[in-house]
Amino acid sequence: MCAVCAAQRNTMKDFINKIIVPACIYFTLFTVPFAFIMFVIYGKDGIFTAHRVAASFGFMLALAASNALLKGNKLTLPLRVALHAIITGVGFWLFMLLPLGNESINPLIGMLIYYVIYAVIMAIIGLRNASAHRRADREQEYSSMFKKD
């Protein structure tokens, strides 16, 4: 096998592992409870159509791609968070709000609600990560008085 083919295979494998697999996991974790809620509320004639299932998978792909970008180290953290917010926001608008049309919610209100929830979730994640880093720093600085030499 040529070196170019091997590199392309590794690139495709990375793409599948970093974006497609997480998107499928997110999709499953989102779709199953959402479908159950739609069934409970609306019965057999629920509004969870194939079009909305496909649109939610598109959003999950955007979410997985932006999460892969967020985990990378090539950009600064504020830039990664800003790009994550933009990509997920555009994905939410394109795949979740736009297909609804004007039937249930004003897209501007939907985006406002999305970014409020996004800010709360990112603040919780940021506080958790900062706490973990502080704890790791303290553990690294600790030296036992009862070390055996």
Side-chain angles (χ1 to χ4, degrees), residues 11-66:
T11 302
M12 183 57 101
K13 192 175 182 181
D14 287 344
F15 175 75
I16 290 170
N17 288 336
K18 290 181 180 177
I19 296 175
I20 301 296
V21 171
C24 291
I25 292 169
Y26 301 152
F27 177 72
T28 303
L29 293 174
F30 170 77
T31 305
V32 171
F34 190 70
F36 179 73
I37 291 167
M38 290 295 114
F39 178 74
V40 168
I41 294 172
Y42 297 104
K44 285 193 305 188
D45 300 326
I47 60 168
F48 201 56
T49 62
H51 182 260
R52 291 194 181 166
V53 170
S56 65
F57 187 69
F59 173 63
M60 297 308 157
L61 281 172
L63 182 64
S66 63

Side-chain angles (χ1 to χ4, degrees), residues 65-82:
S66 63
N67 283 345
L69 177 72
L70 187 63
K71 290 177 185 175
N73 291 327
K74 293 183 180 180
L75 303 171
T76 64
L77 182 63
L79 183 58
R80 288 184 307 197
V81 171

Side-chain angles (χ1 to χ4, degrees), residues 95-112:
F95 296 113
M96 302 302 276
L97 293 179
L98 202 58
L100 290 177
N102 289 331
E103 68 185 54
S104 64
I105 191 168
N106 181 347
L108 185 61
I109 300 297
M111 289 305 295
L112 180 66

